[in-house]
Amino acid sequence: MAHGGRKDSPELPDLSLLKRLVRDQLIYLLEQLPGKKDLFIDSDLMSPLDRIANVSILKQHEVDKLYKVEFKPIISISDQLCFLIRPRIQTVKWICDVVNADKAAGKYRRYKIIFTPQKFYACEAVLEEQGIYGDVTTDEWAFYLLPLDDDIISLELPEFFRDQFLAGDQRWVRTAGSALHLLYSLFGPFSKIYGIGRCSKMTYESWREQVEEGEQRARQAEIGNVFLIDRDVDFVTPLCSQVVYEGLVDDTFRIKCGCVEFGPDVTSSDKSIKVMLNSQDKVFNEIRNEHFSNVFGFLSQKARNLQTAYDKRRGMDIKQMKTFVSEELKGLKQEHRLLTLHISASESIMKKKTKQDFQELLKTEHCLLEGFEIRECISFMEEHINRQVSMIESLRLLCLLSVTENGLLPKDYRALKAQYLQSYGDEHLLTFSNLRQLGLLVEQQPGETLTVMESRVGKLVNDRTAGKLTDAFSSLAKKSNFRALSRKLNLVPKSDEEYDLRVPKDMAYIFSGAYIPLSCKLIEQVLERDGWIGLEEVTRLINGHEFAVTGGSGADSKSKGDSQRIILVMFLGGCTFSEISALRFLGKEKGYKFIIVTTAITNSSRLLEAMLDNHV
């Protein structure tokens, strides 16, 4: 990226240690069931497991056959069955059916259930109810964190968002606290911990309890400061169309566990191929954070450079050719293959976006962010809905209108909802109910009703015993206050002059200069001020549960070492690739390095699919 920034940024800690730890623990658990065994794996654990221990490693530890959990009678003939699952009641009930079917058939086997990242009491209760508690052994695989790249770690828990923010189910808070504790024990102690959001506060408290229970050892810190942030603090950012390359690849092809599958339209053959997208891919690493408008220029320059490198062969003698073949040719061929793939992927993205009238869509989004031409935006949405362009896209625009305008006018809400249900089916009534509960798509209330409700709920929120009731009420009463926040934090830069996307001047470049993500702006401001002082009005508008505390014992907040410039940001409820790009930009500008920890990678589609009424 052609912009300046400090050159003295610190080195990141080695996150591959996390992989080695969980791989060793899994091997240990598998060896607890000696002899040949068949392994049944939850479908959404397949990709994360492949990043930790591939098939050959599992085979070395006497795993005979691998099966995906499919909720039907099994065909395994092994005497030992091992189940590697998420702690879900539906899956545990299926295992009970398998064991009871074996009992009825007079078949004796040994069964082991490995819950990951932890087991819940509700799952053990099901085993007892079904009468098989004594027939199975259970264990926990503490697979909390999967490093996706040098600076990205995921808990791979997409259900965290719906469970925590919609259902008010706090079971994953302890998991998030344990994940933070693992990072603390490996790379801490932390000097300062900042946070905003109710879930962040609970995660911090869970982490604190675990620190106090464990033994303290003085060591050299590799991570200085930590920032925890709830996804519901900033819904605007994930609802905006992504225009940095990595975000567009995710929106178009879906990046899963750091891996993307490119179909025949990209590979120019009848096969699909899986590609790992990380900093090891030299071509991808240089364009991942670039605005899409710069990508083709970069790739064509790269192609010219590559051709020049190939052309060096001409006129070489035998010795030079031998050196070229042994030292350079393999690398050039690999780079050529990756370059071809990314050029094809970019062309495929362009075709799809042109078809979707992407420019018109972006213009509508920018108007919503700036608060201009709202009636024209609503007309565009109506046309979008009536033409049935895309169910999720239509919903995204409605939600973006609602969160930027503090809710829809009652007549607009009723009209748009009626049109949506007519176009996409009245089964989406429950989806609208979910979105209202979350504060994503609401009707403006007359007068001061909402403010009065908010103040009442504010008192409830402070009462920790209120539990789920509090969550439900606070969601119903939530106002986004986006306009006021935008003015306070200057989230929408003045559009008097042309924004040069080739030489970006701030984090707004990730949205074509139209908007600085609220989540990233908060992180920037808090790090600048070393806390929330001076941001009281902002936190009031967010209804925030903000905190700033010194870290665990052994932490030295005045230390000026490299670790103080390594900031760990934990997104509870998901994080977008656009936010990751913005934080990388901020890090370059300020001399920080950010490590992003997220419960899952998200985008507008994933966020809204979690709200659909048919979501399981």
Side-chain angles (χ1 to χ4, degrees), residues 41-50 84-86 116 143:
I41 307 167
D42 240 339
S43 58
D44 59 352
L45 279 172
M46 294 291 238
S47 295
L49 180 64
D50 199 41
L84 183 59
I85 62 166
R86 291 283 190 215
T116 185
F143 180 20

Side-chain angles (χ1 to χ4, degrees), residues 119-154:
K119 60 183 169 189
F120 294 134
Y121 169 74
C123 295
E124 295 191 311
V126 170
L127 295 174
E128 279 196 63
E129 281 167 21
Q130 300 288 320
I132 68 153
Y133 190 77
D135 300 306
V136 301
T137 55
T138 62
D139 233 316
E140 283 183 337
W141 180 33
F143 180 20
Y144 293 114
L145 297 165
L146 175 66
L148 298 179
D149 208 342
D150 299 340
D151 60 351
I152 309 173
I153 310 172
S154 174

Side-chain angles (χ1 to χ4, degrees), residues 305-523:
N305 295 347
L306 205 57
Q307 190 58 53
T308 306
Y310 272 125
D311 290 345
K312 278 199 318 191
R313 291 174 300 176
R314 292 180 189 148
M316 282 184 180
D317 58 30
I318 299 292
K319 191 180 176 186
Q320 288 170 325
M321 183 62 83
K322 195 176 174 183
T323 308
F324 175 78
V325 169
S326 63
E327 292 177 10
E328 291 182 54
L329 190 60
K330 192 180 176 186
L332 288 173
K333 281 187 171 174
Q334 169 75 348
E335 203 170 326
H336 182 262
R337 188 183 71 84
L338 292 169
L339 187 61
T340 306
L341 266 177
H342 289 296
I343 288 171
S344 299
S346 300
E347 285 171 343
S348 181
I349 289 168
M350 278 288 282
K351 276 182 203 157
K352 283 172 182 160
K353 294 302 177 189
T354 308
K355 212 168 161 184
Q356 291 170 2
D357 204 3
F358 194 51
Q359 288 306 322
E360 200 59 38
L361 202 65
L362 286 180
K363 188 182 158 195
T364 302
E365 281 179 34
H366 294 175
C367 286
L368 290 174
L369 291 165
E370 291 169 18
F372 295 149
E373 301 176 352
I374 299 301
R375 296 322 305 173
E376 286 86 340
C377 292
I378 290 173
S379 299
F380 177 82
M381 286 175 214
E382 286 176 327
E383 187 193 339
H384 205 271
I385 292 166
N386 296 331
R387 282 170 50 214
Q388 298 182 333
V389 178
S390 159
M391 181 179 77
I392 289 290
E393 281 291 294
S394 297
L395 209 52
R396 180 176 75 80
L397 290 170
L398 292 178
C399 291
L400 190 59
L401 171 64
S402 177
V403 292
T404 51
E405 288 295 303
N406 244 342
L408 278 67
L409 292 169
K411 66 180 178 66
D412 290 332
Y413 180 85
R414 286 193 290 273
L416 288 163
K417 181 180 174 181
Q419 288 175 68
Y420 190 91
L421 295 174
Q422 280 166 4
S423 273
Y424 300 113
D426 54 13
E427 66 271 19
H428 289 292
L429 267 169
L430 189 55
T431 304
F432 275 82
S433 170
N434 291 341
L435 292 168
R436 188 180 70 246
Q437 188 174 324
L438 204 59
L440 270 171
L441 184 49
V442 297
E443 217 175 324
Q444 282 180 9
Q445 301 295 318
E448 291 298 309
T449 320
L450 200 62
T451 313
V452 174
M453 180 70 170
E454 260 187 329
S455 63
R456 283 184 196 159
V457 170
K459 288 172 191 158
L460 262 177
V461 166
N462 293 325
D463 180 2
R464 290 180 65 184
T465 61
K468 286 187 187 179
L469 184 70
T470 306
D471 278 344
F473 274 119
S474 63
S475 294
L476 283 168
K478 191 167 285 174
K479 290 167 74 177
S480 77
N481 293 317
F482 176 74
R483 292 277 168 258
L485 283 166
S486 180
R487 282 193 298 275
K488 289 266 172 213
L489 293 169
N490 193 24
L491 299 179
V492 177
K494 302 279 185 292
S495 52
D496 307 341
E497 55 195 64
E498 193 69 26
Y499 193 99
D500 188 352
L501 292 165
R502 284 167 305 175
V503 190
K505 57 178 185 279
D506 55 29
M507 292 184 283
Y509 90 90
I510 65 158
F511 293 122
S512 309
Y515 164 64
I516 298 171
L518 170 59
S519 53
C520 303
K521 189 70 174 180
L522 285 172
I523 292 163

